[in-house]
Amino acid sequence: MNDNDQANILMVDDQPGKLMSYEVILKELGENLIQARSAREALDHLLRQDVAVVLMDVSMPEIDGFELADMMRQHPRFQKTAIIFISAVHLTDLDRIRGYRSGAVDYISVPVIPELLRAKVSVFAELHRKNRQLERLNRELEQRVAERTEQLHQSEHQFRTLANSIPQLAWMADAQGSIFWYNQRWYDFIGTSPGEMPTWGWRGVQHPDHADRVLQLLEKSRQACEPWEDTFPLLGEDGNYRWFLSRAVPIFDSQGSLVRWFGTSTDISTQISAEEQIRNLNGQLQERVAELEAIMKVLPVGVAVSHDPESSVVTANLALSQLLGVKPGENIATRIDVAVAGSLDLYRNGDRLASGDHPLKRTAKTGEQLGSLELEVRGPDGKPIFLQSSASPLFDQFGNVRGAVGAFINVTDRKHLEDLLRERADLLELATEAIIVRDMHGVLLFWNSGAEALYGWKREEVLGKSIHQVLKTRFPKGFSDVENALAQTGKWNGNLTQFTRDGHEMTVACRKALKADGNAVLEINRDISAQLNAEDALRKAERLAAMGRMAGIIAHEINNPLEAITNTFYLLRDHPSLDEEARYLAKLGDEELLRVSHITRQTLGFYRESEHSVEVSISAILDEILELQARQMEFSNIVLRKQFRSKGTIWGFPVELRQVFLNLIGNAVQAMPDGGTLSLRVFKSSRGCDRRAEVCVSVFDTGTGIDPEHAKHLFEPFFTTKETKGTGLGLWISRGIVQKYGGTIRFRNISLAGRNVTCFQVRLPESDFQGVIDPIVGSREVAEKAEASNGGF
Amino acid sequence: MAASDITILCVDDEETPRTLRKLILQKQGYQVITAASGAEALEVLDRVSINLVLSDQMMPGMTGTELTKSVKAMRPTMPVILISGVNEIPADARYADRFVSKIGGPDLLFKTVAEVLEEYSRTALEG
């Protein structure tokens, strides 16, 4: 029923006519009029509907109005229902008071005044309406309150749920500080159950060291009604203390008075221990940093650190700073930026490094590890400094590159040393002498290319082997002498015999030196075989020269009287005074003298019958000689084979040439006393590096051959294999003559199936001028002679 | 020209060889004058008409070649033959017409003398 609803007016009267009149009067109120003819009917209506006002006739048969009113008043529902008595009877004040006492009642007497009736009814109707409104509002209010309360309950429930789920310990206390609620965590931690909790301040679970302070502060805050915070350990169920950060806040009502306390305690044990760890770590870190700084300071290696990927900040340690000539700690980023004037240029293998290739910058940027690079930088004084450089990246916690560390070792000295050593090594390689180093057991440690060339062993083949094994050294006096000398003086010089790889024997001038530390021996060997041979040859030549000089002197001394004697016999020959016997004796003397002449001619005279050389045909000379030898050859059963492909014409002196070939052919014939074959060949050839034309003459015999032992001495003077005849000078002289012509004479001995062939070959250059080099003067003669005879002196 | 028309000046510092040489040349039919030294030879040359000088090489004072030079200076058309026991021809022997070894024997000597005289007479004829 809302405010404007019709109220139900119940009219009770046993007289319908009265009911009708009431209806007419009340109609204009607009309310709902209900008629009832009896009290019972009225009750019925009352029960069925919500009646605002009951208009009641007092006098009614059976149950009168007062009785009805009493009945209504007994019913709780109708206790407050308004009743208007309509009474014809005069009611005493006492009656009215009685009526008023029973609530909401009014009287109207008959005759009813319509306006009055209307007014009273409308008042009560209105009242009823208002009551109903009020009831409704009340109900709504109650509902709201109930809802509110419910919400509050829910909130509180949620709060408790929340409070129980947070990891913190939580509690609530009343204004006096008495804790009336703990969250579940609390119980879990402390290990108590609700109801067993300690008092305000939690004395029982406080750490003795902290308890007093905590409680003091807490009490202070409580009294001041101010928020409280403290950190202290609490004893847990497991018997261990844990650190808690505890807070409490006062809660005030709308009037500002303290209603309760709300607090939390947060377990910061891990945090505390973490903090302690961090403190420790920090301490350690600081120590490490200090160590690092000390190391950097003391390190002789230059170290630079790039603090960002762009290398805008680069610091150098003491060593590097000194190297670069900068102050320690100064940012050297600009010094390594080639774009900046005055920066330090880095070179690698002679090429200037671009900015990005600076190892430190590159690593700081790209994160790549750069291994040893040799770089060159110009020092503050302009001299080059060589640095062995490497760079390592630095990474942040995400794995990104955040900088780099570079190390720079000054290897300038080492490089110089290396260069020096390399030069020395190169020099050692250049040396043609064999330079060898061996240890005290003779094991080879060093073998230069001179040694390789001299001995024929490559260094890979001999290093690690014993020197004496390799070289088969023969010492003049014995190994121990050498060792002693070395041990005492540290040196030894001398000549040794050593063998090359292919067994060739040679004499070596050896200088040994003991290394300073006494662990190895350095040897420098020089092949002096050639030198010795040359010395030998020189000695021989000198001997020969001496002999020649002597021969010259002897020649002169002998030739003079020889000529005289020859002349004497010449004169005696046909002297008339001689008888037959005397003539015979003279003839004998003459013949023997001829022999002497022959010998002296051979030995003491390289004489030439003229100064002019003439065109000589070797073939012709050979033919002449063959004629002379014909008888002997026949006698010895020697077969002749001639192969003259050329006349073999050269410019020379017939007599001496004849002497040469007479010697060779004579030897050949003498080598075949019991028969054989004599072969002669003459041909032209061009040979030699200058392709000069030569006449080659070969004399072959199938005689006794030449003993290898004799072969060496064949061309030596006074060497002869013939027992009786021979001066031993023939081949020597022949060779001398051939050499004067600039030619060669060689022999070969071939043994084949028991048979022997000996071959002597003479090669004489075809000269294209009319002179032969005179050994004494060394000049060409004929042209000069022609000039001399024309022009006088 | 007959041998008898030829006068040879034979120079040698040693007497016996000199004498013997003279004898064999004379046996050949030549006229021979001797001198014991280069100086003497030059002096003779001055006085006497000589056709050929035959001199020993090794002589004290003046060697054969030195004598040759002087002779040729005095008489450019004078043939000079040097004879010697040395076994090597000296350098300035080329000034002489021939250098003969003593061990060549008398035949060689005669041959050489004859050759040289022949050459010179031919040259003289040709003027």
Side-chain angles (χ1 to χ4, degrees):
Chain A
M1 188 191 196
N2 65 20
D3 288 1
N4 294 326
D5 274 354
Q6 280 176 328
N8 293 329
I9 313 286
L10 183 60
M11 299 176 298
V12 185
D13 204 314
D14 59 311
Q15 293 172 12
K18 283 203 191 145
L19 285 175
M20 281 297 285
S21 67
Y22 299 147
E23 191 155 340
V24 168
I25 293 168
L26 296 175
K27 204 171 163 187
E28 65 184 69
L29 288 182
E31 312 287 1
N32 188 26
L33 301 171
I34 305 167
Q35 290 177 3
R37 303 264 305 265
S38 68
R40 270 206 188 88
E41 215 178 303
L43 280 170
D44 197 36
H45 282 294
L46 280 167
L47 288 166
R48 268 195 281 126
Q49 287 168 67
D50 176 38
V51 171
V53 184
V54 179
L55 201 60
M56 199 184 292
D57 182 15
V58 167
S59 47
M60 282 190 296
E62 291 170 28
I63 303 168
D64 68 19
F66 290 124
E67 280 169 4
L68 178 57
D70 285 337
M71 276 160 64
M72 277 172 65
R73 292 293 179 258
Q74 279 170 19
H75 203 292
R77 190 171 153 193
F78 310 120
Q79 267 178 3
K80 299 282 164 69
T81 308
I83 301 168
I84 298 178
F85 289 109
I86 300 176
S87 172
V89 174
H90 181 69
L91 291 173
T92 64
D93 288 331
L94 280 172
D95 287 327
R96 288 203 193 170
I97 291 167
R98 186 176 155 216
Y100 286 131
R101 274 212 193 108
S102 65
V105 80
D106 208 345
Y107 295 94
I108 287 187
S109 47
V110 169
V112 170
I113 302 165
E115 290 84 8
L116 196 62
L117 184 66
R118 268 204 297 271
K120 288 192 176 182
V121 166
S122 102
V123 164
F124 279 123
E126 197 59 36
L127 187 68
H128 179 85
R129 246 200 302 273
K130 290 286 183 261
N131 276 346
R132 285 284 174 273
Q133 254 180 31
L134 217 60
E135 278 168 13
R136 200 176 52 248
L137 283 170
N138 218 28
R139 265 201 306 282
E140 280 175 6
L141 205 65
E142 272 175 13
Q143 195 171 342
R144 266 194 220 130
V145 168
E147 280 173 3
R148 267 297 143 72
T149 309
E150 181 53 32
Q151 272 178 6
L152 213 62
H153 276 140
Q154 268 190 7
S155 275
E156 211 180 295
H157 178 70
Q158 276 172 355
F159 163 76
R160 280 181 204 214
T161 310
L162 183 68
N164 280 330
S165 63
I166 57 172
Q168 279 80 1
L169 314 186
W171 46 269
M172 282 196 286
D174 61 21
Q176 284 67 46
S178 191
I179 300 181
F180 61 84
W181 178 83
Y182 289 97
N183 76 343
Q184 188 54 44
R185 284 272 176 270
W186 181 275
Y187 297 115
D188 289 343
F189 176 70
I190 300 291
T192 56
S193 54
E196 288 178 0
M197 271 318 303
T199 55
W200 176 258
W202 317 310
R203 255 218 184 263
V205 292
Q206 285 278 5
H207 191 279
D209 294 347
H210 297 260
D212 290 332
R213 180 202 80 236
V214 171
L215 292 168
Q216 236 177 26
L217 284 175
L218 186 58
E219 187 54 33
K220 203 164 117 189
S221 291
R222 192 186 71 74
Q223 281 174 5
C225 297
E226 280 171 356
W228 165 78
E229 190 177 297
D230 203 349
T231 306
F232 48 87
L234 288 175
L235 182 62
E237 187 186 17
D238 57 3
N240 293 327
Y241 283 97
R242 292 182 78 84
W243 282 86
F244 288 91
L245 169 64
S246 298
R247 288 200 180 92
V249 291
I251 307 289
F252 301 99
D253 64 12
S254 49
Q255 267 77 45
S257 37
L258 177 67
V259 289
R260 65 173 64 128
W261 290 90
F262 180 60
T264 56
S265 293
T266 310
D267 185 342
I268 55 164
S269 310
T270 21
Q271 193 179 321
I272 292 284
S273 65
E275 280 172 6
E276 201 171 299
Q277 261 192 353
I278 287 176
R279 259 196 305 280
N280 284 345
L281 285 174
N282 267 348
Q284 283 177 9
L285 194 68
Q286 273 172 354
E287 280 176 16
R288 286 277 131 64
V289 168
E291 264 177 37
L292 203 64
E293 280 174 358
I295 290 171
M296 287 277 274
K297 216 180 191 163
V298 114
L299 213 55
V301 173
V303 178
V305 179
S306 172
H307 296 271
D308 61 288
E310 296 307 311
S311 300
S312 51
V313 179
V314 178
T315 49
N317 74 337
L318 187 65
L320 187 62
S321 304
Q322 283 175 348
L323 195 72
L324 300 178
V326 300
K327 265 175 41 199
E330 189 186 305
N331 178 12
I332 62 165
T334 49
R335 304 308 300 279
I336 62 169
D337 183 351
V338 298
V340 174
S343 71
L344 296 162
D345 288 336
L346 278 184
Y347 297 84
R348 185 173 173 204
N349 291 337
D351 300 322
R352 220 179 76 145
L353 276 189
S355 179
D357 283 337
H358 190 295
L360 188 68
K361 290 181 105 175
R362 184 138 151 219
T363 299
K365 191 121 199 210
T366 64
E368 54 180 307
Q369 173 91 23
L370 288 178
S372 268
L373 301 170
E374 203 176 272
L375 302 172
E376 187 190 326
V377 74
R378 303 282 142 82
D381 56 1
K383 289 215 191 93
I385 298 174
F386 292 95
L387 301 172
Q388 185 112 342
S389 318
S390 51
S392 269
L394 295 170
F395 297 101
D396 65 13
Q397 74 219 77
F398 305 111
N400 298 325
V401 67
R402 64 171 181 86
V405 178
F408 304 93
I409 306 176
N410 188 346
V411 293
T412 313
D413 288 343
R414 194 193 74 187
K415 252 194 98 65
H416 282 155
L417 211 64
E418 278 177 2
D419 286 343
L420 213 62
L421 283 177
R422 204 175 303 117
E423 270 178 42
R424 297 248 174 91
D426 289 343
L427 284 175
L428 285 180
E429 286 303 303
L430 282 178
T432 51
E433 276 109 331
I435 300 178
I436 299 168
V437 178
R438 60 160 177 89
D439 70 7
M440 300 319 282
H441 304 288
V443 174
L444 288 165
L445 304 172
F446 178 78
W447 187 266
N448 80 331
S449 30
E452 289 185 341
L454 183 62
Y455 297 110
W457 295 99
K458 290 255 171 259
R459 59 175 69 96
E460 306 79 77
E461 296 171 316
V462 294
L463 288 181
K465 295 214 177 100
S466 159
I467 184 176
H468 302 304
Q469 231 180 26
V470 173
L471 300 177
K472 303 185 186 48
T473 314
R474 275 211 299 266
F475 293 89
K477 287 200 204 119
F479 189 55
S480 46
D481 279 358
V482 177
E483 292 286 283
N484 290 342
L486 264 183
Q488 276 173 9
T489 62
K491 289 205 208 36
W492 183 85
N493 293 344
N495 291 353
L496 310 167
T497 309
Q498 287 176 333
F499 289 84
T500 64
R501 187 191 190 164
D502 36 1
H504 173 66
E505 183 180 324
M506 62 182 168
T507 310
V508 149
C510 175
R511 284 169 41 212
K512 291 184 199 265
L514 196 60
K515 253 184 80 182
D517 55 16
N519 286 341
V521 175
L522 172 72
E523 281 189 27
I524 300 182
N525 295 343
R526 203 161 30 93
D527 180 6
I528 55 168
S529 313
Q531 191 182 322
L532 288 177
N533 288 344
E535 286 169 3
D536 218 17
L538 188 65
R539 266 195 300 277
K540 281 195 189 144
E542 282 172 357
R543 251 207 322 267
L544 286 178
M547 272 173 57
R549 281 194 297 278
M550 218 167 66
I553 297 166
I554 292 170
H556 179 252
E557 295 308 309
I558 289 182
N559 289 346
N560 281 355
L562 196 64
E563 188 229 5
I565 297 170
T566 309
N567 289 348
T568 306
F569 273 100
Y570 179 78
L571 293 164
L572 274 176
R573 204 187 286 173
D574 302 314
H575 204 280
S577 73
L578 287 179
D579 65 2
E580 209 170 307
E581 196 189 343
R583 211 172 305 180
Y584 174 67
L585 291 170
K587 183 160 160 273
L588 285 179
D590 196 23
E591 279 171 11
E592 288 306 303
L593 197 59
L594 206 60
R595 221 157 129 223
V596 175
S597 300
H598 176 65
I599 291 170
T600 55
R601 205 172 305 174
Q602 269 199 318
T603 58
L604 304 173
F606 286 117
Y607 77 97
R608 290 175 179 158
E609 67 275 27
S610 68
E611 284 171 28
H612 313 269
S613 55
V614 294
E615 254 194 318
V616 179
S617 158
I618 303 288
S619 305
I621 286 181
L622 291 178
D623 282 332
E624 284 171 24
I625 295 167
L626 284 172
E627 248 188 68
L628 287 173
Q629 293 279 337
R631 173 116 26 107
Q632 181 61 48
M633 282 168 67
E634 207 187 298
F635 189 66
S636 298
N637 239 346
I638 295 171
V639 174
L640 172 67
R641 279 220 204 107
K642 262 171 57 172
Q643 213 181 9
F644 290 0
R645 290 228 200 95
S646 156
K647 282 220 181 83
T649 313
I650 62 166
W651 286 91
F653 297 89
V655 172
E656 59 187 11
L657 287 168
R658 198 174 295 132
Q659 187 171 350
V660 169
F661 295 106
L662 179 60
N663 177 234
L664 293 179
I665 292 172
N667 286 348
V669 168
Q670 279 167 24
M672 300 182 281
D674 302 319
T677 309
L678 173 70
S679 307
L680 298 177
R681 286 177 63 202
V682 178
F683 59 94
K684 276 204 193 152
S685 121
S686 52
R687 206 176 66 156
C689 44
D690 48 3
R691 311 296 284 167
R692 41 169 212 172
E694 293 179 323
V695 170
C696 297
V697 183
S698 302
V699 178
F700 297 84
D701 74 73
T702 58
T704 47
I706 297 173
D707 202 313
E709 280 304 304
H710 299 151
K712 284 187 268 204
H713 307 290
L714 219 54
F715 288 101
E716 286 173 14
F718 306 113
F719 177 81
T720 179
T721 55
K722 307 168 199 167
E723 295 93 22
T724 49
K725 298 189 190 173
T727 54
L729 294 168
L731 281 175
W732 178 60
I733 291 169
S734 299
R735 190 174 69 168
I737 295 171
V738 167
Q739 280 171 352
K740 271 203 300 199
Y741 283 81
T744 55
I745 177 168
R746 287 199 182 93
F747 76 94
R748 238 184 25 203
N749 206 55
I750 309 166
S751 284
L752 262 177
R755 296 192 48 200
N756 211 80
V757 175
T758 307
C759 167
F760 276 82
Q761 190 189 68
V762 174
R763 285 173 176 268
L764 299 166
E766 267 190 283
S767 45
D768 52 0
F769 53 88
Q770 289 183 359
V772 174
I773 295 171
D774 184 297
I776 305 261
V777 178
S779 61
R780 309 222 170 126
E781 299 173 320
V782 176
E784 290 156 352
K785 163 76 173 152
E787 279 169 31
S789 59
N790 280 340
F793 313 109
Chain B
M1 228 158 150
S4 47
D5 299 325
I6 306 291
T7 309
I8 297 176
L9 174 57
C10 185
V11 190
D12 199 317
D13 60 306
E14 289 180 278
E15 193 189 335
T16 310
R18 185 175 68 234
T19 311
L20 285 166
R21 212 172 296 138
K22 179 173 97 167
L23 288 173
I24 64 166
L25 284 170
Q26 281 171 344
K27 194 160 180 196
Q28 257 332 70
Y30 294 109
Q31 302 288 329
V32 183
I33 298 182
T34 61
S37 71
E40 203 184 311
L42 287 171
E43 200 226 332
V44 166
L45 258 180
D46 235 357
R47 283 190 286 117
V48 184
S49 170
I50 302 291
N51 297 100
L52 183 141
V53 175
L54 174 67
S55 173
D56 183 27
Q57 170 60 19
M58 306 293 276
M59 294 187 295
M62 197 189 298
T63 62
T65 45
E66 285 164 357
L67 175 60
T68 307
K69 283 187 205 152
S70 304
V71 167
K72 293 286 186 180
M74 271 173 63
R75 316 256 171 170
T77 56
M78 174 65 65
V80 179
I81 296 177
L82 291 175
I83 186 165
S84 182
V86 301
N87 56 355
E88 295 290 354
I89 304 173
D92 44 3
R94 61 188 170 171
Y95 293 112
D97 293 280
R98 289 290 193 278
F99 193 96
V100 175
S101 177
K102 282 185 183 171
I103 58 173
D107 294 326
L108 179 63
L109 182 59
F110 299 149
K111 185 163 147 228
T112 311
V113 166
E115 271 176 20
V116 172
L117 287 172
E118 172 73 32
E119 275 170 29
Y120 271 78
S121 68
R122 223 186 309 129
T123 320
L125 279 177
E126 287 162 11

